């Protein structure tokens, strides 16, 4: 097996700490790793055989500095054209979550193959070394319509079945390579500790042992067995264990945050998957956006070189995350010798590739990066390219029939069935032969909710059934299964019915999200609007037994919803083949053997809304079955914290999104329209908005007015009386892209002041207006529904970066009257 067992690793930590009293007793947490404390591992000799190494050395010796530096840089398809490679010998191309072939988010499998062919042929003409092309196939080939979408990793964690994980890896590799691509940025080996993290569902489990066994299985599934001096098979792809390290260990579960933990915990909890993946031959590893004890991992040489490359013997290439090098102290996205020197080999520089290329050449000339370090990086990149057969004309497969094939969909359906965790069952499950079933809830027939983030688009919000013609929603599966058992099913999203059913299945849960957009303040499900609870209670009050099927990227506090249900199933994010749900729920089907529940919790389930979960309602490993029933009594519905205090009462818009419970709308004379993801316009098209990158990806909203209208932040009624007394002000962090042709108003608590003069100069501007200025004009801060609104009577261009209330330190003046 790949890993030194955990016990041994811990023993190593223990004994070594005994020899390092200074470190062990130090009260402050250090960001410097001590490699000898870590588990050892080694990339297999099948990726470093002598013949290949000699070939790489020869290739390297013939390369110019420009060609070498070019190899270390990766650009995104939305910011580079194949022809650019004629001039710039860039070594790698990626397609990020929102990037489709030839600008089409829903481009076909063959379009992907065509795109790869174009990039590859230009790269060969310029540098001689073909590019390597990577994509986020994180639960199947998830960017491509018609692919098989497997359950997200958290659901796979519930199956506790490494053999199944290996099959999923092989099927995914088959589909990715069938569209011409040779590399996926998977698997995620995060070991999430705080479920408020929006990427919790990308992790398999909070159990490092399970993560390690899956790391091995998924790597072998994706890459196949490696054979010395032979390229991997054309239907396999390179794997990327990510994100190194402790992406799931950040303080407060904050995405891209800081893991404030001792080295022993970093090793025992977060590192265990990596030796397993490296021993299994993982060709690449991705570095995490996050920090360890205050230092960004992209700049931490002790982790990247000392631990990963030296101690864990990793001989493949180390790729960065999306412009993450720009977050290292002293770096920008276009200039970062510190990350090169820390050991990063391939820089993910989606839109910053050109500047980075030019500046890095200068850095090497000036000695800020040694040529030996660049050579090491290029050698690793060439090694991976050799293993993928890219140096020998790896065939660009174009086999659309592999996507969503019968065999792959069958594996996905099986995975769904195995991943379901039965949390409560008072005897209503399985659904009996011949039953009349009502299927309700907005997740019942909803491809976006069941597939989640990283599906078609980055956030996955606009996925539809049309994207997966051979997919099945939960409703479609139940409908068919119930009919096969001689019963009848009716779909009614809002739960209304004419004839009383024997039983209701209600499917509900979280909307799709990815990365930091999924970070939440507490573990409460629907902290504000308890719409799903109301539906469950209404059905129960009508005397109908209720089965809840909960779709979510994480365990959440749902005790009230459980009390209102006779059975409760955690179904996670099952993906495109959700007929696997009915396979377990419905009994007595002709031609179908009965299934039982197999899934067990990969994370502890919370008793209240507090995080991290200290005293769980159900421990990790819990799961009932028909064979082993158990009773769940009435649960305490107390959230354990004041949920209203955890709401974003003072922060409205940050990092590109309205913060829950707030929503952004674009308003004109004809009404208003919400801004979720992607482009949005007001009803008359007078106000338009789209996301843009300022400090990080899609972290700001560009709003353009061509006539009278406004952008408005709306939500539930809140009391801002304390903020008014506390001398808070409304702070709007903006960039003027087009000065106003008419009058601009900043409206707070229903009263307006003029921002026309303040916005005359193009460029960044921060308005900070005391709430008092608005109160003086009659604003009522006791009951605010629209904390802030920006309106214009004419043309105007603004980039909105942040909207929030802050305490005012220095004296500030009011804006002029509107
Ligand atoms: C994602 C990319 C995505 C981009 C959007 C990144 O964080 O990982 O895949 O396309 O943001 O700007
Ligand atoms: C994510 C990675 C992903 C990359 C490319 C980043 O924002 O953190 O997981 O592989 O984008 O899309």
């Amino acid at each position: 097996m790949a890993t030194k067992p955990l016990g041994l690793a811990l023993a190593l930590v223990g004994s070594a700490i005994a020899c390092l009293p200074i470190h062990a007793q130090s009260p402050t947490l250090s960001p410097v790793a001590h490699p000898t404390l870590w588990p050892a591992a080694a990339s297999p000799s099948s990726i470093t055989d002598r013949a290949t190494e000699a070939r790489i050395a020869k290739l390297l010796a013939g390369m110019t500095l420009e060609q070498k530096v070019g190899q270390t840089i990766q650009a995104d398809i939305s910011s580079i054209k194949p022809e650019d490679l004629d001039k710039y010998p860039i070594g790698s191309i990626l397609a990020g979550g929102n990037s489709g072939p030839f600008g089409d988010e829903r481009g076909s499998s063959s379009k992907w193959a065509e795109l790869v062919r174009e990039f590859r042929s230009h790269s060969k003409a310029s540098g001689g070394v073909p590019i390597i092309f990577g994509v986020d196939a994180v639960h199947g080939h998830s960017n491509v319509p018609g692919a098989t979408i497997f359950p997200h990793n958290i659901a796979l964690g519930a199956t506790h079945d490494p053999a199944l994980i290996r099959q999923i890896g092989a099927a995914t590799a088959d589909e990715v390579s069938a569209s011409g691509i040779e590399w996926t940025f998977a698997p995620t080996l995060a070991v999430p500790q705080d479920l408020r993290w929006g990427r919790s569902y990308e992790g398999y489990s909070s159990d490092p042992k399970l993560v390690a066994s899956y790391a091995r299985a998924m790597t072998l599934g994706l890459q196949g067995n490696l054979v010395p001096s032979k390229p991997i098979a054309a239907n396999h792809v390179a794997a990327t264990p990510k994100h190194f390290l402790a992406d799931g260990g950040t303080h407060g579960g904050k995405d891209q945050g800081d893991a404030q933990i001792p080295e022993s915990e970093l090793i025992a909890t977060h590192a265990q998957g990596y030796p397993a993946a490296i021993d299994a031959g993982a060709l690449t590893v991705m570095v995490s956006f996050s920090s360890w004890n205050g230092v960004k991992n992209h700049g931490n040489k002790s982790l990247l070189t000392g631990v990963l490359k030296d101690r864990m013997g990793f001989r493949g290439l180390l790729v960065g995350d999306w412009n993450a090098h720009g977050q290292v102290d002293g770096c920008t996205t276009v200039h970062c010798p510190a990350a090169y020197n820390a050991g990063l080999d391939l820089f993910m520089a989606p839109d910053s590739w050109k500047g980075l290329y030019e500046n890095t050449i200068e850095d090497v000339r000036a000695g800020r990066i040694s040529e030996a370090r660049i050579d090491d990086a290029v050698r690793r990149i060439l090694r991976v390219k050799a293993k993928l057969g890219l140096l020998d004309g790896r065939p660009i497969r174009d086999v659309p029939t592999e996507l969503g094939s019968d065999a792959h969909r069958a594996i996905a359906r099986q995975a769904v069935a195995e991943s379901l965790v039965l949390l409560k069952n008072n005897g209503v499950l399985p659904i009996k032969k011949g039953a009349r079933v009502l299927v309700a809830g907005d997740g019942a027939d909803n491809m976006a909710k069941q597939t989640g983030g990283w599906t078609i688009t980055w956030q996955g919000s606009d996925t539809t059934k049309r994207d997966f013609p051979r997919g099945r929603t939960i409703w479609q599966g139940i409908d068919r299964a119930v009919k096969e058992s001689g019963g009848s099913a009716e779909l009614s999203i809002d739960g209304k019915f004419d004839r009383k059913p024997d039983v209701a299945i209600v499917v509900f849960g979280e909307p799709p999200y990815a990365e930091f957009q999924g970070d939440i303040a507490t573990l409460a499900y629907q902290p504000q609007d308890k719409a799903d609870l109301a539906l469950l209670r209404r059905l129960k009050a009508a005397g109908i037994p209720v089965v809840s099927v909960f779709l979510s990227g994480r365990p959440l506090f749902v005790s009230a919803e459980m009390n209102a249900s006779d059975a409760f199933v955690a179904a996670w994010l099952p993906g495109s083949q959700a007929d696997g749900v009915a396979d377990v729920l419905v009994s007595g089907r002709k031609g179908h053997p009965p299934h039982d529940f197999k899934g067990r919790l990969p994370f502890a389930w919370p008793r209240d809304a507090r995080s991290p979960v200290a005293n769980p309602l159900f421990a990790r490993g819990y799961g009932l079955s028909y064979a082993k029933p158990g009773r769940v009594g009435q649960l305490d519905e107390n959230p354990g914290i004041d949920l209203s205090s955890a709401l974003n009462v003072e922060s409205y818009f940050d990092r590109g999104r309205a913060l829950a419970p707030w929503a952004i709308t674009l308003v004109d004379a004809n009404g208003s329209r919400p801004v979720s993801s992607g482009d949005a316009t007001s009803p008359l098209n007078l106000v338009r908005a789209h996301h843009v990158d300022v400090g990080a990806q899609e972290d700001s909203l560009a709003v353009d007015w061509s006539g009278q209208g406004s952008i408005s932040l709306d939500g539930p009624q809140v009391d801002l009386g304390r903020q008014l007394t506390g001398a808070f002000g409304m702070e709007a962090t903006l960039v003027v892209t087009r000065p106003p042709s008419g009058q601009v108003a900043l409206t707070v608590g229903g009263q307006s002041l003029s921002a026309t003069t303040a916005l005359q100069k193009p460029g960044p501007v921060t308005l900070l207006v005391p709430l008092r200025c608005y109160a003086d004009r009659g604003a009522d801060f006791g009951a605010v529904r629209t904390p802030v609104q920006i309106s214009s009577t004419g043309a105007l261009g603004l980039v909105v970066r942040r909207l929030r209330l802050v305490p005012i330190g220095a004296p500030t003046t009011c804006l002029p009257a509107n």
Side-chain angles (χ1 to χ4, degrees):
M1 240 282 305
T3 49
K4 320 299 150 235
L6 187 60
L8 178 56
L10 287 171
L12 270 173
V13 174
S15 60
I17 278 180
C19 326
L20 284 170
I22 297 174
H23 170 65
Q25 282 157 22
S26 158
T28 57
L29 293 169
S30 152
V32 181
H34 300 75
T36 53
L37 305 182
W38 293 63
S43 288
S45 55
S46 48
I47 76 170
T48 53
D49 59 87
R50 206 178 287 165
T52 312
E53 293 300 301
R55 180 181 185 192
I56 292 169
K58 204 164 153 210
L59 248 177
L60 190 63
M63 290 171 83
T64 63
L65 174 62
E66 288 78 2
Q67 287 172 328
K68 289 185 200 174
V69 169
Q71 281 301 305
T72 68
I73 291 172
Q74 181 183 61
D76 184 87
I77 58 167
S78 55
S79 306
I80 192 167
K81 298 259 163 309
E83 304 78 67
D84 287 324
L85 297 182
D86 300 344
K87 183 158 173 219
Y88 299 93
I90 297 303
S92 180
I93 301 292
L94 95 143
N98 277 340
S99 307
F102 308 101
D104 180 3
E105 198 56 82
R106 292 184 156 75
S108 68
S109 171
S110 291
K111 282 287 172 198
W112 283 98
E114 187 182 326
L115 184 76
V116 174
R117 192 171 298 116
E118 284 192 14
F119 273 112
R120 199 193 288 179
S121 75
H122 280 275
S123 67
K124 283 203 291 200
S126 63
V129 180
I131 50 109
I132 173 173
F133 194 108
V135 76
D136 290 290
V138 297
H139 59 143
H141 197 4
S142 40
N143 274 293
V144 186
T148 308
I149 304 301
F150 292 96
H152 266 297
N153 286 349
I154 190 168
L156 301 184
T159 70
H160 291 81
D161 186 349
L164 177 67
I165 301 312
R166 185 164 178 169
Q167 284 184 358
I168 291 174
T172 303
D174 210 8
E175 298 202 7
V176 172
S177 60
S179 58
I181 298 170
E182 59 263 359
W183 183 15
T184 174
F185 304 130
T188 294
L189 301 184
V191 187
Q193 299 298 300
D194 189 323
L195 296 165
R196 288 175 292 179
W197 187 35
R199 302 191 80 160
S200 294
Y201 67 82
E202 295 186 58
Y204 294 117
S205 172
S206 58
D207 176 8
K209 278 211 208 74
L210 184 63
V211 173
S213 81
Y214 277 21
R216 175 181 169 78
M218 187 50 95
T219 302
L220 291 174
L222 289 168
Q223 300 193 159
N225 284 320
L226 305 179
V227 183
S229 69
K230 267 184 99 177
I232 72 174
N235 63 343
H236 282 285
V237 300
T240 309
K242 70 182 186 184
H243 309 80
F244 190 79
L245 192 61
D247 47 350
T250 61
H251 183 69
K254 192 165 177 285
D255 192 46
Q256 305 186 7
D258 186 21
Q260 299 164 7
I261 55 178
E263 186 171 11
S264 55
E265 190 180 334
L266 192 60
I267 297 170
T269 303
H270 299 283
Q272 297 301 315
Y274 290 90
I278 291 167
D279 286 347
L283 291 172
T284 87
V285 169
M286 189 186 290
V287 182
S288 177
F289 263 114
S290 55
S291 313
W292 177 42
N293 295 331
V295 173
K296 282 283 167 186
N297 290 356
H298 276 68
N300 191 328
K301 187 172 181 182
S302 72
L303 282 179
L304 305 191
T305 301
V307 170
L308 187 73
K309 291 183 170 179
D310 295 344
R311 179 70 179 173
M312 294 186 184
F314 174 62
R315 306 290 298 274
L317 74 82
L318 186 53
V319 64
D321 204 344
W322 188 275
N323 270 334
H325 55 272
Q327 298 185 10
V328 172
D329 251 0
C331 289
T332 66
T333 57
V334 295
H335 188 216
C336 193
Y340 276 98
N341 292 331
L344 192 67
D345 301 315
L346 180 58
F347 283 62
M348 191 182 287
D351 51 355
S352 48
W353 56 271
K354 202 183 286 180
L356 184 65
Y357 168 76
E358 281 158 359
N359 292 328
T360 302
I361 292 172
E362 278 315 304
D363 283 333
V364 180
R365 291 211 174 107
R368 285 183 291 268
I369 306 168
S370 71
E371 193 144 1
R373 176 70 265 277
I374 293 293
D375 283 354
D376 171 54
V378 177
R379 203 173 291 118
R380 288 164 176 274
I381 292 162
L382 294 177
R383 191 176 288 141
V384 172
K385 290 184 175 182
K387 201 66 205 170
L388 285 169
L390 288 164
L391 303 182
D392 301 300
R394 174 184 165 99
I396 294 180
R397 289 174 82 219
D398 178 8
V399 198
T401 49
E402 284 300 315
L403 276 83
S405 72
D406 292 350
H408 296 165
R409 284 182 295 115
I411 300 170
R413 179 172 170 176
Q414 181 195 340
V416 173
E418 286 191 29
S419 71
L420 304 175
V421 182
L422 182 62
L423 298 179
K424 170 178 181 178
N425 185 15
N426 291 350
V428 58
L429 283 178
I431 304 292
K432 314 285 174 303
K433 218 171 146 53
R436 165 189 299 278
V437 182
L438 182 78
V439 180
D442 72 354
D445 194 30
N446 188 327
M447 196 52 88
K449 272 205 162 176
Q450 69 184 49
T451 50
W454 297 107
T455 313
I456 305 293
T457 59
W458 180 35
Q459 297 293 322
S461 336
D462 64 352
T463 307
T464 70
K465 285 200 268 185
R466 280 188 307 282
D467 290 320
F468 303 105
R470 282 180 286 183
R472 311 287 290 170
T473 62
I474 295 176
W475 150 249
Q476 289 172 316
I478 293 174
D479 184 35
R480 174 145 185 201
V482 167
K483 279 190 187 124
E484 285 171 357
S485 86
S488 66
E490 183 194 341
L491 176 66
S492 164
I493 303 298
D494 63 6
K496 304 242 164 76
F497 53 86
D498 294 330
R499 245 183 94 184
K500 191 172 162 187
D502 299 325
V503 57
I505 301 178
V506 185
V507 188
F508 61 95
E510 290 189 295
Y513 52 80
E515 296 193 48
F516 46 82
Q517 307 234 352
D519 287 0
I520 47 177
T522 76
L523 295 184
Y525 176 65
Q526 292 191 328
Q528 282 285 294
D529 148 34
K530 291 253 166 225
D532 293 320
L533 180 59
L535 170 60
L536 300 174
R537 284 184 174 157
R538 183 150 51 79
L539 289 165
K540 211 171 158 62
I544 302 164
V546 175
V547 176
S548 283
V549 175
F550 186 53
L551 296 174
S552 73
R554 51 194 150 199
L556 289 173
F557 169 56
V558 285
S559 294
E561 286 80 1
M562 281 194 204
N563 284 338
S565 311
D566 298 280
F568 198 100
V569 178
W572 318 109
L573 301 168
S576 60
Q577 307 314 126
D579 37 358
V581 173
D583 289 344
V584 183
L585 264 50
V586 180
S587 69
R589 295 165 71 182
K590 260 190 239 100
H592 281 267
H595 285 68
D596 200 350
F597 283 90
K598 279 194 178 164
R600 286 179 291 117
L601 287 179
F603 292 88
W605 199 281
R607 177 183 301 279
D608 56 36
R610 287 176 289 194
S611 190
V613 177
N615 170 25
L617 177 61
F618 305 122
R620 187 172 71 208
Y622 172 92
L624 303 173
S625 66
Y626 300 139
K628 276 199 198 147
R631 271 202 90 76
V632 174
Q634 185 73 13
L635 301 171
D636 185 350
E637 299 182 5
N638 181 352
I641 36 172
D642 176 6
L643 293 183
S644 65
S645 72
L647 288 177
N648 291 302
V649 169
E650 293 162 3
S651 284
Y652 309 112
F653 185 88
D654 194 11
R655 295 196 287 177
R657 59 170 178 154
L659 301 170
W662 308 102
I664 262 204
T665 56
L666 303 181
V667 189
D668 61 24
N670 256 23
S672 70
R673 287 229 192 103
V675 177
S676 41
S677 65
D679 296 357
T681 66
S682 64
L684 292 174
N685 250 333
L686 295 175
V687 192
R688 312 171 136 268
H690 67 276
H691 286 93
V692 291
D693 300 7
V694 178
Q697 62 275 28
E698 299 200 10
D699 66 346
S700 303
L701 192 69
V703 189
D704 290 286
W705 280 257
S706 54
Q708 180 145 8
S710 50
I711 155 177
S712 180
L713 252 147
D714 310 302
Q717 185 170 303
V718 290
D719 180 355
L720 297 178
R722 276 179 305 150
Q723 286 75 9
L724 175 65
T725 335
F728 275 59
M730 177 63 68
E731 183 194 58
T733 310
L734 309 167
V735 182
V736 179
T737 52
R738 181 174 179 193
S741 70
Q743 298 299 315
V744 185
L746 183 71
T747 306
V748 174
Q751 292 294 324
S752 302
L753 291 170
S754 172
T756 314
T757 319
L759 300 178
Q760 286 304 320
K761 225 176 92 218
V765 56
T766 299
L767 307 177
L768 177 56
V769 192
L771 293 184
R772 172 188 47 82
C773 305
Y774 293 96
D776 287 348
R777 305 176 61 85
D780 173 12
F781 283 107
V784 179
R785 279 180 174 280
T786 300
V788 52
Q789 203 172 33
I790 304 173
S791 322
S792 173
T793 60
L796 170 68
L798 290 180
V799 171
V800 181
R801 303 215 50 198
R802 195 165 59 196
L803 299 169
R804 61 175 184 176
L805 292 180
V806 289
I808 294 180
T812 320
T813 51
C814 294
L815 288 174
N818 191 30

